[in-house]
Amino acid sequence: DAGVIQSPRHEVTEMGQEVTLRCKPISGHDYLFWYRQTMMRGLELLIYFNNNVPIDDSGMPEDRFSAKMPNASFSTLKIQPSEPRDSAVYFCASSSLGGLQDPEQFFGPGTRLTVL
Amino acid sequence: DAKTTQPNSMESNEEEPVHLPCNHSTISGTDYIHWYRQLPSQGPEYVIHGLTSNVNNRMASLAIAEDRKSSTLILHRATLRDAAVYYCIPFSGGYNKLIFGAGTRLAVHP
């Protein structure tokens, strides 16, 4: 398996523009996670899905952020409108239901977002 | 969620053992202790996890204190590739929700 795939790897946009980040989880994994990493706040969980259904979106910073998982092999994280403070590395991760005490997550390479 | 305390940074020389400590004094009786690491410019990767007994795998060993209030990740022979940020994460249950702290930045010198 190719692992978790994210695109694009780098995105530079201007404030106010819509940004869409994409993720393809590992085939067969039931869970998909979106994280954001900044120097100031570290690695934060934004939202996660189980069987394509959003389970916990309490980490989504505000209404400008939205995430979807239309099928088991694809998810998007959208920011509209984008702001400079959204600049960060966004990671997608997936895992299989290996028991509640065995949640090894596999992370993608991340998307580095810069909002000017 | 259980709180963790890890040193901000540590240093090691190549091919020497490294002991990375983690305090998790508020850990619950059913929490597993997970370790992840993040190499430069990469996403985090799973290292090891355990509940009570010491654990070994191809990457590292995990020593868990008898009272479970602390644990130590052991890299038996550090390599330059082991330079990374290491995260100790008590898993509080629920749906696979990991909470990452600040971690320990490990530098390995040739």
Side-chain angles (χ1 to χ4, degrees), chain B residues 1-66:
Chain B
D1 295 328
K3 303 298 182 185
T4 61
T5 303
Q6 296 181 256
N8 289 333
S9 63
M10 292 185 65
E11 297 187 3
S12 174
N13 293 318
E14 203 174 7
E15 299 196 1
E16 290 185 354
V18 181
H19 291 234
L20 297 162
C22 180
N23 288 319
H24 31 76
S25 58
T26 61
I27 194 170
S28 78
T30 56
D31 284 356
Y32 278 66
I33 300 150
H34 292 258
W35 285 79
Y36 278 71
R37 72 178 184 181
Q38 187 172 18
L39 303 174
S41 301
Q42 295 189 25
E45 64 176 353
Y46 166 84
V47 177
I48 199 167
H49 77 280
L51 182 62
T52 55
S53 303
N54 294 344
V55 184
N56 301 295
N57 66 19
R58 63 175 179 81
M59 291 181 69
S61 295
L62 176 60
I64 302 171
E66 193 170 338

Side-chain angles (χ1 to χ4, degrees), chain A residues 37 48 56 100-101 103 105, chain B residues 32 36 38 91 95-97:
Chain A
Q37 187 170 38
Y48 72 94
D56 186 342
L100 293 177
Q101 304 300 335
Q105 293 184 16
Chain B
Y32 278 66
Y36 278 71
Q38 187 172 18
F91 178 55
Y95 289 95
N96 284 274
K97 189 172 177 177

Side-chain angles (χ1 to χ4, degrees), chain A residues 9 31 33 35 37 43 45 48 50 55-56 58 91 95-97 99-109, chain B residues 30-32 34 36 38 41-46 49 51 87 91-101 105:
Chain A
R9 293 294 309 278
Y31 290 85
F33 308 81
Y35 292 86
Q37 187 170 38
L43 195 61
L45 177 65
Y48 72 94
N50 177 218
I55 301 300
D56 186 342
S58 60
F91 289 103
S95 71
S96 61
L97 186 58
L100 293 177
Q101 304 300 335
D102 188 14
E104 180 179 351
Q105 293 184 16
F106 296 82
F107 284 75
Chain B
T30 56
D31 284 356
Y32 278 66
H34 292 258
Y36 278 71
Q38 187 172 18
S41 301
Q42 295 189 25
E45 64 176 353
Y46 166 84
H49 77 280
L51 182 62
Y87 299 96
F91 178 55
S92 304
Y95 289 95
N96 284 274
K97 189 172 177 177
L98 296 173
I99 308 298
F100 287 80
R105 183 174 298 277

Side-chain angles (χ1 to χ4, degrees), chain A residues 73-91:
Chain A
S73 59
F74 183 66
S75 177
T76 60
L77 178 67
K78 185 176 294 185
I79 309 172
Q80 166 63 17
S82 58
E83 296 183 3
R85 60 193 169 121
D86 301 330
S87 297
V89 180
Y90 291 81
F91 289 103

Side-chain angles (χ1 to χ4, degrees), chain A residues 5-91:
Chain A
I5 299 172
Q6 292 187 246
S7 65
R9 293 294 309 278
H10 302 273
E11 177 81 24
V12 180
T13 190
E14 294 190 347
M15 183 174 63
Q17 297 298 306
E18 177 179 296
V19 175
T20 299
L21 311 181
R22 298 172 176 79
C23 174
K24 176 179 170 55
I26 292 172
S27 177
H29 280 186
D30 305 286
Y31 290 85
L32 183 138
F33 308 81
W34 282 101
Y35 292 86
R36 176 175 70 175
Q37 187 170 38
T38 62
M39 289 293 292
M40 290 296 295
R41 300 176 66 89
L43 195 61
E44 304 174 279
L45 177 65
L46 300 178
I47 184 172
Y48 72 94
F49 296 81
N50 177 218
N51 291 323
N52 312 337
V53 176
I55 301 300
D56 186 342
D57 65 354
S58 60
M60 296 286 263
E62 48 196 277
D63 292 345
R64 297 185 298 106
F65 286 69
S66 62
K68 295 182 178 180
M69 192 165 185
N71 57 62
S73 59
F74 183 66
S75 177
T76 60
L77 178 67
K78 185 176 294 185
I79 309 172
Q80 166 63 17
S82 58
E83 296 183 3
R85 60 193 169 121
D86 301 330
S87 297
V89 180
Y90 291 81
F91 289 103

